[in-house]
């Protein structure tokens, strides 16, 4: 049975750019490696996955069926930009299984390539399951609070002997912001994270009003950075993040 390489994007703190990273990472991975199957799914109920990737009508089945007793054959559908996705659900109930069960359920989908899991900003059954299913965990951190909250995610991974799969990604960082005349916020976050023995990516995801605007407007469609914000620093940063994942 084939099994995808699972990338979980997780943070207990909201507003750190988690979903922006997850959705755009899928687009950039597909653009960089056209023949690589890329699939994305979210345990959150904001439907950002659907608003970026859905083609036509909303899929009839999705994350609720993924966690159900029987696994439908047509759960994964092809979406925009060549990215496959599983439709989001308004409400999800934890199945009567431990969080470690999710890994085997994902294997049963028969997916290849990379599967990206977006999570809720809370450490519940769904986030813990996504952490335990992951081959790589990306945790966006934009401030001290997000850094402190990362400890709970690491504890879950440590309990499974997988702490080495966790990487922090400085996110929504204003490149001009400084703690003082000598120390940038991005440098502080990196230093503080490494001081706590976290692995930290060499890249940051900058705060960008242009990127933030892609998820707003009269249309419900959410647009990717690759096609609508190539002139921003975030474009190169997301490409670098995708290359990191591919490596």
């Amino acid at each position: 049975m084939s099994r995808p390489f699972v990338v979980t994007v997780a943070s207990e703190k909201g507003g750190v750019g988690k979903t922006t990273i997850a959705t755009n990472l899928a687009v950039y991975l597909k653009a960089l490696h056209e023949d690589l199957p890329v699939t994305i799914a979210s345990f959150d109920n904001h439907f950002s996955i659907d608003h970026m990737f859905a083609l036509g009508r909303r899929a009839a089945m999705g994350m609720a069926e993924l966690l159900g007793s029987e696994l439908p054959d047509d759960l994964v559908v092809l979406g925009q930009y060549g990215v496959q996705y599983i439709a989001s659900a308004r409400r999800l109930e934890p199945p009567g299984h431990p969080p470690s069960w999710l890994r085997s359920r994902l294997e049963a989908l028969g997916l290849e390539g990379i599967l990206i899991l977006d999570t809720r900003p809370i450490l519940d059954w769904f986030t813990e399951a996504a952490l335990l299913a992951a081959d790589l965990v990306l945790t966006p951190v934009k401030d001290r609070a997000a850094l402190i909250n990362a400890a709970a995610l690491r504890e879950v991974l440590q309990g499974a002997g997988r702490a080495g799969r966790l990487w922090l990604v400085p996110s929504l960082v204003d490149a001009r912001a400084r703690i003082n005349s000598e120390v940038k916020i991005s440098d502080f976050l990196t230093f503080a994270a490494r001081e706590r023995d976290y692995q930290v990516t060499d890249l940051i995801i900058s705060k960008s009003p242009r990127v933030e605007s892609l998820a707003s407007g009269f249309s419900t469609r959410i647009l990717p950075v690759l096609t609508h914000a190539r002139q921003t620093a975030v474009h190169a940063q997301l490409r670098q993040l995708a290359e990191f994942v591919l490596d």
Side-chain angles (χ1 to χ4, degrees):
M1 180 182 296
S2 60
R3 190 183 77 80
F5 183 86
V6 178
V7 180
T8 293
V9 185
S11 172
E12 272 200 290
K13 193 172 188 299
V16 295
K18 179 174 55 61
T19 299
T20 297
I21 287 175
T23 52
N24 281 282
L25 178 60
V27 176
Y28 275 78
L29 286 170
K30 191 66 181 177
L32 288 173
H33 202 317
E34 190 174 313
D35 295 330
L36 176 71
V38 178
T39 308
I40 188 168
S42 177
F43 287 105
D44 216 334
N45 64 353
H46 47 49
F47 293 93
S48 295
I49 300 296
D50 311 66
H51 292 159
M52 181 176 282
F53 297 106
L55 289 167
R57 293 182 178 180
R58 184 176 176 275
M61 294 179 289
M63 295 299 286
E65 287 72 26
L66 173 68
L67 303 175
S69 57
E70 296 185 11
L71 195 61
D73 293 332
D74 53 353
L75 193 61
V76 179
V77 296
L78 181 62
Q80 297 267 17
Y81 320 110
V83 174
Q84 301 176 126
Y85 76 103
I86 301 176
S88 303
R90 180 68 63 190
R91 290 186 178 180
L92 290 175
E93 295 293 333
H97 305 284
S100 57
W101 167 84
L102 179 64
R103 188 175 179 94
S104 61
R105 173 50 63 107
L106 294 175
E107 291 178 359
L109 290 172
L111 295 173
E112 297 179 342
I114 294 178
L115 169 63
I116 300 171
L117 296 177
D118 187 25
T119 57
R120 304 178 181 191
I122 185 174
L123 185 53
D124 56 5
W125 186 96
F126 306 103
T127 298
E128 184 173 348
L131 291 171
L132 296 178
D135 298 289
L136 172 66
V137 177
L138 299 176
T139 295
V141 290
K142 75 169 187 177
D143 51 28
R144 187 189 299 272
L147 178 58
I148 291 172
N149 284 357
L153 308 183
R154 179 163 64 177
E155 185 176 345
V156 171
L157 292 165
Q158 282 177 332
R162 300 170 188 167
R165 301 181 183 187
L166 176 66
W167 284 79
L168 304 192
V169 183
S171 175
L172 298 186
V173 177
D174 187 338
R176 301 165 297 179
R178 295 175 177 269
I179 292 179
N180 55 42
S181 61
E182 297 180 352
V183 181
K184 294 181 179 180
I185 293 291
S186 57
D187 293 337
F188 164 75
L189 286 174
T190 298
F191 173 80
R194 288 175 176 159
E195 190 177 42
R196 291 165 170 80
D197 293 325
Y198 286 105
Q199 299 177 111
V200 187
T201 61
D202 291 331
L203 61 98
I204 69 168
I205 305 298
S206 299
K207 182 178 178 61
S208 168
R210 175 58 183 151
V211 171
E212 292 173 359
S213 73
L214 299 180
S216 61
F218 294 110
S219 172
T220 58
R221 173 68 64 190
I222 296 177
L223 303 170
V225 172
L226 180 63
T227 57
H228 287 76
R230 292 179 67 92
Q231 73 279 16
T232 65
V234 180
H235 165 58
Q237 293 162 355
L238 286 170
R239 176 178 178 135
Q240 189 178 355
L241 182 61
E243 290 170 342
F244 169 80
V245 172
L246 289 170
D247 286 343

